Amino acid sequence: MSACDAFRDQIERRIDGLLDAEFEASLAAHLSRCRECRDYEQAQRALSVDLTMLSRVAHELTTPSVAANPTGSGWIRIATRAAAIALVILGTWTFVRKPNAMPIAPSSPPIAGTSNAPQLERPPIRFAAHVEPLDATTRFAVPIETDNPRVHVVWLYDSLNEIQEPAPASAPSL
Amino acid sequence: MSHDSITDAPATPQDAATDLTAWRRRIVALAMKLVWNRDDAEELTQEAFVRASLKRLTPGDACFGPWLMRTVANLCVNHRRRKRPEPLTEASLERAGARVQPPYDDVDRMTRLRTQLEQLPDQQRIALVLRGMEGLDYEAIAEIMDLSAAAVRTHVHLARKRLLELSHERDRA
């Protein structure tokens, strides 16, 4: 262990408040003539301050302002679910009346030499009666279930308002 | 929590009930510092409390606090992240007491530090979080991690050293 290594151990002890008084003078003398150890002490102190700040941020994130008003938060959750269920009912009713308005991707151009290949039938679409909020502040996704487990269709809404007042179902996002 | 040390036992059942709530808050905060997602932190805390109840541990037991912190720390490091880490914003830093001023690089610095912490070996990360973020002394951390105080000090030293190296590597890049 070099002399600097020993002093750097003392630097950490000093930051932790554990350095014995008898070492203070020798450490101060070393720091006065070793720039690298001064930089090391400065970096360690900055790290210590940043860790303390990050700790405060973590505490802040576990007690966000919305948690202080659980009634409001719960109301929004209930309203979101109610709006989603209403949307599912409305959507089902719409597609029962207009089966051609199913939100599917445009069909691919035929592959050469396969014009006589049997055409795949559109999978029947069912709506899942729940909403998955992707993010509290951005989008809501309404999953639309199909019989094909490899096909996942979701309808994205940018805001709760959009769910409450759905636009005409002409261009769903896939 | 009305006790200075994590091993002090509450005097009355009322103290124990109060402590249970305080412990839950404290354990959620610790889990948050390791997984950085509030839902995951609360879920892992719940799991730790369930395990404590299965072992019939109560806040009246001297080992309750250290056992709970060790359990939730182990759950956190073995946890497969399912949700995104909570974003660090200028608003969250300001609420935490930071003086967010131009050039507004505090958010970047904190986010970077959080990422670098996740790159540390598990034992070093837990030791540094308990020392540098929870503010526990080495003896208390040793009890939580079931190690000697000297071993904890080594883990903390290596963690700090590695974080400074990562910082220097980034500056050079």
Side-chain angles (χ1 to χ4, degrees):
Chain A
M1 180 183 279
S2 69
C4 282
D5 285 340
F7 282 116
R8 288 179 185 190
D9 183 59
Q10 291 181 10
I11 286 170
E12 284 189 55
R13 284 175 180 270
R14 183 151 85 170
I15 290 172
D16 285 334
L18 299 173
L19 183 64
D20 291 335
E22 60 183 294
F23 296 114
E24 282 283 357
S26 59
L27 176 59
H30 178 77
L31 289 176
S32 68
R33 60 178 183 270
C34 181
R35 182 184 179 132
E36 286 187 1
C37 283
R38 280 203 304 275
D39 291 345
Y40 182 81
E41 184 188 31
Q42 194 175 6
Q44 284 285 3
R45 287 197 183 281
L47 175 61
S48 182
V49 169
D50 281 354
L51 285 171
T52 304
M53 176 53 61
L54 197 58
S55 173
R56 287 192 200 143
V57 173
H59 280 275
E60 181 60 37
L61 289 174
T62 55
T63 53
S65 53
V66 289
N69 184 11
T71 308
S73 172
W75 186 88
I76 290 173
R77 203 177 303 124
I78 291 168
T80 305
R81 287 177 182 169
I85 291 168
L87 177 70
V88 167
I89 294 169
L90 176 66
T92 307
W93 178 73
T94 302
F95 288 116
V96 165
R97 286 185 66 228
K98 298 180 182 177
N100 290 336
M102 287 180 180
I104 61 171
S107 57
S108 305
I111 301 171
T114 61
S115 58
N116 293 330
Q119 295 294 310
L120 294 176
E121 293 183 3
R122 290 173 176 166
I125 292 177
R126 290 195 305 272
F127 287 89
H130 65 278
V131 167
E132 295 289 341
L134 291 180
D135 186 291
T137 57
T138 55
R139 289 183 160 190
F140 292 89
V142 178
I144 302 170
E145 289 184 352
T146 71
D147 279 351
N148 186 339
R150 300 176 66 181
V151 176
H152 299 279
V153 183
V154 293
W155 207 325
L156 296 179
Y157 292 88
D158 284 332
S159 71
L160 185 60
N161 290 338
E162 210 178 337
I163 292 179
Q164 288 168 333
E165 297 174 13
S170 57
S173 305
L174 293 179
Chain B
M1 218 170 308
S2 56
H3 320 294
D4 291 331
S5 164
I6 61 167
T7 55
D8 281 355
T12 67
Q14 286 79 13
D15 284 346
T18 306
D19 277 5
L20 203 57
T21 306
W23 268 117
R24 188 188 170 284
R25 207 175 300 132
R26 184 168 178 179
I27 296 300
V28 169
L30 172 59
M32 186 70 175
K33 290 162 195 166
L34 291 164
V35 298
W36 288 101
N37 179 281
R38 191 177 175 215
D39 291 340
D40 286 346
E42 297 209 350
E43 194 177 315
L44 294 167
T45 299
Q46 182 69 13
E47 173 67 22
F49 271 86
V50 167
R51 292 188 185 190
S53 69
L54 291 175
K55 284 182 73 76
R56 300 187 181 280
L57 291 174
T58 69
D61 299 319
C63 66
F64 181 76
W67 187 91
L68 209 52
M69 295 181 93
R70 177 166 62 243
T71 301
V72 84
N74 288 335
L75 286 170
C76 287
V77 297
N78 293 323
H79 162 72
R80 279 181 75 102
R81 189 190 297 282
R82 290 188 296 269
K83 296 171 182 144
R84 287 181 299 175
E86 307 278 353
L88 303 184
T89 62
E90 287 169 18
S92 63
L93 259 68
E94 270 186 313
R95 284 200 301 272
R99 289 186 302 166
V100 182
Q101 294 173 343
Y104 302 115
D105 58 353
D106 291 354
V107 174
D108 289 344
R109 202 175 71 251
M110 289 296 133
T111 305
R112 195 164 56 241
L113 177 58
R114 185 171 73 170
T115 306
Q116 290 169 345
L117 276 168
E118 290 181 351
Q119 295 172 25
L120 296 175
D122 293 340
Q123 294 281 75
Q124 291 180 20
R125 181 158 65 113
I126 293 172
L128 186 61
V129 165
L130 292 172
R131 174 69 200 137
M133 298 176 75
E134 287 288 304
L136 296 177
D137 60 40
Y138 286 109
E139 284 71 25
I141 299 170
E143 188 175 4
I144 290 168
M145 296 183 70
D146 202 16
L147 297 170
S148 68
V152 172
R153 196 192 302 275
T154 301
H155 281 311
V156 171
H157 166 73
L158 292 174
R160 286 168 167 164
K161 192 175 165 191
R162 182 62 187 146
L163 288 180
L164 293 186
E165 284 171 1
L166 288 171
S167 188
H168 288 152
E169 284 170 13
R170 183 190 169 276
D171 290 344
R172 279 198 297 271

